[in-house]
Amino acid sequence: MLVKCKKDSFQNIFEFMNYTEFVLGQKFPYKTIRKKDLSKYYFHAYCVLLNDMLKTHSGSLHQYAKLRHNIDLDSDIKLSIKKIKKKLILGNKVDYRFVLVSQLLHALELLNINTLKEEDKVLLQKKLCFSKKNFALALEYAKDHGKIKNERILKSFAAHVNFKDSHNKYKQTKVKHIGICANMSCGKSTFVNALLGNDYLPARNEATTACITSVYDYDNAKNMIGVAVKNDHIYAIGDNMDTVTINKWNSEADHIILESDLDNISNNNIVVAVHDTPGINNSGNDNHRKITMNFLSQNKMDAIIYVANAEHLATEDDKNLLVELRDKILPKSKSKMLFVINKFDSIDISKESKDDIVIRYLEFLEDLGFEKPKIYPISSKAARLFKMALNGRVDLFSENELDEFKPLVNKFNRRLNLSVNNDVFYIKETIQRSLEFGESITLDGEEVEIQKIYQALKNTGLLGLESDIETLLSNDEM
């Protein structure tokens, strides 16, 4: 079923999905003779009850809100409620039904269901096995956590309240937009994947990106969530996106909108939205060019990153696209331009130095009228692999990537340094998390030191660009 796309529809969907991911990621331990976990019973109750509530309401978003998480539990709702009703935590009894009511009602609010019918309340009370008095108290707690007097119940609400506060702050943060533009086969989608620290967007040696793909940064995102839009209608939603789904949407949709964690850009002052446009092939179908130029002219970008191929610099196709951006987009948008020379690791620097290549490209850009262009030589492919390793995702490597990984680490430690800012440091939490695996990781039977991977990542040049992106968009200066 198609739903007319409204401007706030995406935000409502993202809020609901993020909240659901949070709820399904909580831990509900209790202590008896053996330490156990109530989480699976809690999640089962949450999914069943929320879906039951949605059945009685109609609305443009509700049909997409049904939880598709498979809870592997051979029990009915009564057993789940019985398990979470009263259990011990460090010797204190806590009734998790109070938290459950609050989280259910908050989920409904995110879907614009702000009031429950009386029959819904009666049904919820019965399924939760609440007395009328305690159910009324649970509804009161759900509306105002400040009214909770019971310290044990209040303690169990802490994670829920913190998440709501954090998400409200995120919603109020200003969004800054970055357009990614390139000719075909410059590694543009690989570049966006490097920012994400994973392999999400289709990246093949052809013009694969047939629509606009927008990725909004959300630091607390555990999974990637997404919406596909065609003819100004929402026609598909994904709550745990993967490459297969995005590839499918890419061939069908006009616009894919995703929310995930851009790996080294924080939400402290801004939310960064990266918009991947179709790769332009000047000798083929002109449709990609029209899609890209229409999007950049109709949506103000705070910055445009132009991605060039180190193997084919300053080509006629480069010139044509840059002139079109210069003449048709920049005068209206006043966007700042950053220039990436991608695939730099494919250049034999024993024959031509990095500086000579950058200077020659700088002169090419200045001849086209770009003043003091900021140029970043990088290797997106290597940066993505190094980020994935530091985040414990080596199990997602392909066979070719397993073969390439250690030689790339050695190359970027010994021979190739693309960093333009040697004072750039990767997120401390990422390195600390990596070191939890040990001082090294084992990959295809061989050990690779964490610090060597980190140094190799710095030398890919991507971290300097990420740091400048955050500085540029936060302070409107480089």
Side-chain angles (χ1 to χ4, degrees):
M1 182 186 296
L2 290 175
V3 174
K4 184 69 175 176
C5 174
K6 295 181 180 178
K7 193 170 183 180
D8 60 351
S9 294
F10 308 124
Q11 189 61 43
N12 290 342
I13 292 164
F14 287 157
E15 284 183 46
F16 172 74
M17 288 181 169
N18 280 322
Y19 187 65
T20 298
E21 293 290 353
F22 158 70
V23 172
L24 299 180
Q26 292 175 110
K27 294 293 183 183
F28 293 95
Y30 69 96
K31 194 172 183 179
T32 54
I33 297 174
R34 294 181 181 179
K35 193 172 183 180
K36 296 185 179 181
D37 189 353
L38 289 171
S39 301
K40 64 180 181 180
Y41 298 104
Y42 189 94
F43 301 159
H44 180 249
Y46 180 80
C47 290
V48 171
L49 291 170
L50 184 55
N51 289 339
D52 283 349
M53 293 295 101
L54 293 174
K55 285 178 186 175
T56 62
H57 290 82
S58 61
S60 61
L61 301 176
H62 305 158
Q63 63 265 39
Y64 295 120
K66 185 174 174 61
L67 302 186
R68 293 178 293 279
H69 296 77
N70 294 318
I71 308 298
D72 184 17
L73 187 63
D74 294 326
S75 67
D76 60 17
I77 185 69
K78 291 181 181 179
L79 176 59
S80 292
I81 296 301
K82 183 178 179 181
K83 290 284 187 180
I84 67 173
K85 188 176 178 182
K86 284 186 180 178
K87 290 297 176 183
L88 300 174
I89 293 183
L90 303 177
N92 294 322
K93 288 185 177 181
V94 175
D95 190 339
Y96 283 118
R97 292 177 301 169
F98 286 90
V99 188
L100 185 57
V101 169
S102 185
Q103 295 192 331
L104 286 169
L105 295 185
H106 185 62
L108 293 173
E109 285 175 14
L110 295 177
L111 294 167
N112 293 325
I113 302 173
N114 296 309
T115 57
L116 283 182
K117 302 172 185 175
E118 284 305 313
E119 54 265 36
D120 291 332
K121 291 181 182 179
V122 172
L123 179 65
L124 192 57
Q125 177 193 332
K126 288 181 178 178
K127 289 200 171 185
L128 285 164
C129 303
F130 262 126
S131 67
K132 288 185 178 180
K133 180 181 178 181
N134 279 341
F135 184 66
L137 191 60
L139 293 177
E140 189 176 5
Y141 286 174
K143 291 178 183 177
D144 186 357
H145 299 136
K147 293 183 178 180
I148 302 174
K149 304 300 181 185
N150 187 311
E151 289 297 325
R152 294 192 295 272
I153 295 177
L154 181 60
K155 184 178 179 181
S156 66
F157 270 82
H160 171 60
V161 174
N162 288 340
F163 180 90
K164 287 178 66 176
D165 290 345
S166 172
H167 201 66
N168 284 337
K169 183 179 178 182
Y170 170 74
K171 283 165 52 182
Q172 295 165 9
T173 305
K174 188 174 182 179
V175 179
K176 293 292 185 81
H177 299 274
I178 301 176
I180 313 293
C181 188
N183 279 296
M184 185 183 113
S185 303
C186 291
K188 179 173 52 59
S189 293
T190 302
F191 169 65
V192 179
N193 283 334
L195 292 176
L196 290 167
N198 213 328
D199 190 13
Y200 285 115
L201 304 193
R204 298 187 293 275
N205 194 29
E206 54 187 272
T208 55
T209 307
C211 67
I212 304 295
T213 301
S214 301
V215 185
Y216 285 74
D217 182 33
Y218 178 43
D219 286 348
N220 292 329
K222 302 301 180 186
N223 294 306
M224 176 177 277
I225 57 181
V227 174
V229 178
K230 189 173 182 65
N231 298 327
D232 202 29
H233 287 74
I234 300 169
Y235 81 93
I237 289 179
D239 58 357
N240 193 354
M241 299 296 293
D242 55 24
T243 308
V244 174
T245 304
I246 295 175
N247 264 310
K248 182 176 182 294
W249 286 5
N250 189 65
S251 63
E252 301 171 346
D254 298 327
H255 195 171
I256 298 171
I257 302 175
L258 306 168
E259 189 173 78
S260 187
D261 189 358
L262 293 176
D263 200 45
N264 197 28
I265 297 174
S266 69
N267 296 146
N268 288 338
N269 302 307
I270 56 170
V271 172
V272 174
V274 175
H275 306 276
D276 184 21
T277 61
I280 293 171
N281 183 356
N282 288 282
S283 60
N285 189 342
D286 197 45
N287 189 46
H288 286 188
R289 174 184 292 278
K290 291 177 181 176
I291 292 171
T292 295
M293 291 303 160
N294 284 341
F295 179 80
L296 294 178
S297 62
Q298 294 170 11
N299 298 274
K300 185 184 182 307
M301 297 292 109
D302 296 279
I304 294 175
I305 298 178
Y306 182 81
V307 182
N309 186 343
E311 298 170 324
H312 306 287
L313 277 180
T315 63
E316 195 65 23
D317 283 351
D318 261 342
K319 180 180 177 181
N320 291 337
L321 180 51
L322 285 166
V323 167
E324 193 165 3
L325 289 170
R326 182 197 68 191
D327 294 344
K328 295 183 179 179
I329 303 302
L330 295 183
K332 295 179 182 178
S333 67
K334 307 296 183 184
S335 306
K336 293 180 172 63
M337 285 280 289
L338 304 178
F339 300 90
V340 166
I341 304 178
N342 196 19
K343 303 186 180 183
F344 218 93
D345 53 316
S346 63
I347 301 299
D348 188 345
I349 58 172
S350 66
K351 297 179 180 179
E352 188 174 19
S353 74
K354 177 189 79 171
D355 290 344
D356 287 343
I357 295 170
V358 172
I359 289 171
R360 192 169 68 249
Y361 193 60
L362 183 144
E363 291 171 347
F364 166 73
L365 293 173
E366 287 182 333
D367 287 344
L368 292 178
F370 294 98
E371 295 184 8
K372 297 180 181 179
K374 188 80 173 179
I375 300 173
Y376 301 83
I378 68 170
S379 170
S380 298
K381 177 182 176 181
R384 178 181 66 82
L385 293 178
F386 299 154
K387 279 189 174 186
M388 288 176 70
L390 289 171
N391 284 300
R393 297 173 183 152
V394 293
D395 58 314
L396 300 177
F397 283 4
S398 68
E399 285 192 19
N400 285 343
E401 289 168 345
L402 286 172
D403 293 337
E404 294 168 340
F405 185 79
K406 193 168 183 181
L408 280 172
V409 172
N410 291 333
K411 181 174 185 176
F412 280 93
N413 268 276
R414 298 172 186 170
R415 298 193 305 280
L416 188 56
N417 183 357
L418 304 178
S419 175
V420 293
N421 181 356
N422 290 322
D423 294 325
V424 173
F425 291 95
Y426 197 43
I427 299 175
K428 290 181 180 179
E429 290 80 1
T430 300
I431 300 303
Q432 291 168 353
R433 189 165 63 246
S434 302
L435 291 173
E436 290 175 6
F437 307 130
E439 297 297 322
S440 63
I441 62 172
T442 302
L443 200 66
D444 207 21
E446 297 185 62
E447 287 195 353
V448 185
E449 293 178 20
I450 292 292
Q451 291 298 340
K452 280 190 174 182
I453 301 172
Y454 168 51
Q455 186 59 48
L457 175 60
K458 286 178 66 178
N459 290 346
T460 63
L462 182 68
L463 300 190
L465 172 61
E466 289 176 329
S467 177
D468 281 356
I469 287 173
E470 194 162 8
T471 301
L472 170 68
L473 298 182
S474 296
N475 304 321
D476 290 328
E477 62 182 11
M478 291 299 287

